Amino acid sequence: DGELLPPHAFVPSAERSGMVREIDMWGTRQAIRLIDEQRRAGRELRLEVNLSGRTLGDPSLPRAIQTELQKVPIDPGTSSSR
């Protein structure tokens, strides 16, 4: 219905159902795309993304993030473009 929910309202259910990694990666993709959109508009944007402990423990996480970063010309170590 478009209502914003705080993380504590959905993260425990997402972790129990196994959906938390998909939610975390969706948020990561959205942040990367937003940074790229703002860069193309001439604005510098720096974001931080909170991830669940379960996602942080996933050994495939670094590669998944690297794959997303390769889709856009942003440098994850700075807020400037590559």
Side-chain angles (χ1 to χ4, degrees), residues 14 17-29 55:
S17 69
M19 295 289 297
V20 75
R21 184 177 188 282
E22 288 83 8
I23 293 169
D24 283 348
M25 286 310 301
W26 177 85
T28 300
R29 282 190 301 274
T55 299

Side-chain angles (χ1 to χ4, degrees), residues 43-74:
R43 294 183 290 270
E44 187 174 310
L45 177 65
R46 197 172 219 169
L47 295 175
E48 295 178 8
V49 177
N50 290 329
L51 301 174
S52 75
R54 199 166 278 189
T55 299
L56 287 173
D58 183 342
S60 68
L61 177 65
R63 183 70 181 136
I65 292 173
Q66 184 179 29
T67 297
E68 293 302 321
L69 286 169
Q70 289 173 345
K71 297 176 183 177
V72 295
I74 61 172

